[in-house]
Amino acid sequence: MNKDIISGKWSQLKGKAQAKWGDLTNDDFDVAEGNAEYLAGRLQERYGWAKDRAETEVRDFEKAMHKDYPDYK
């Protein structure tokens, strides 16, 4: 997984990420700044998920953003 894959449009996507993963704090998202590895790690910690599940969640989120924002890179 590219750790910076969602960083380009992070400020625009942050609200959607907060809605999806409500247990993460604003600080979590501010520190993540779109870093997929960090975000997956925080999901593991907050939700008690295995690494694979957390990474899948982040990848699925990215795929959904590609559908919603076709120009998103």
Side-chain angles (χ1 to χ4, degrees), residues 20-66:
K20 181 170 180 66
W21 300 302
D23 286 353
L24 297 182
T25 66
N26 282 331
D27 288 341
D28 291 330
F29 289 109
D30 290 343
V31 172
E33 292 182 4
N35 182 304
E37 286 180 11
Y38 178 85
L39 187 56
R42 297 306 290 173
L43 290 171
Q44 282 181 264
E45 184 178 305
R46 298 278 184 193
Y47 289 94
W49 293 340
K51 182 178 181 180
D52 288 345
R53 167 133 188 233
E55 289 175 347
T56 298
E57 288 278 332
V58 173
R59 275 194 308 271
D60 289 349
F61 177 76
E62 182 208 0
K63 288 176 187 175
M65 293 304 97
H66 279 291

Side-chain angles (χ1 to χ4, degrees), residues 1 5 13-14 17 20 22 41 49 57 61 71:
M1 177 187 323
I5 201 160
L13 303 176
K14 182 178 165 184
K20 181 170 180 66
W49 293 340
E57 288 278 332
F61 177 76
D71 64 336

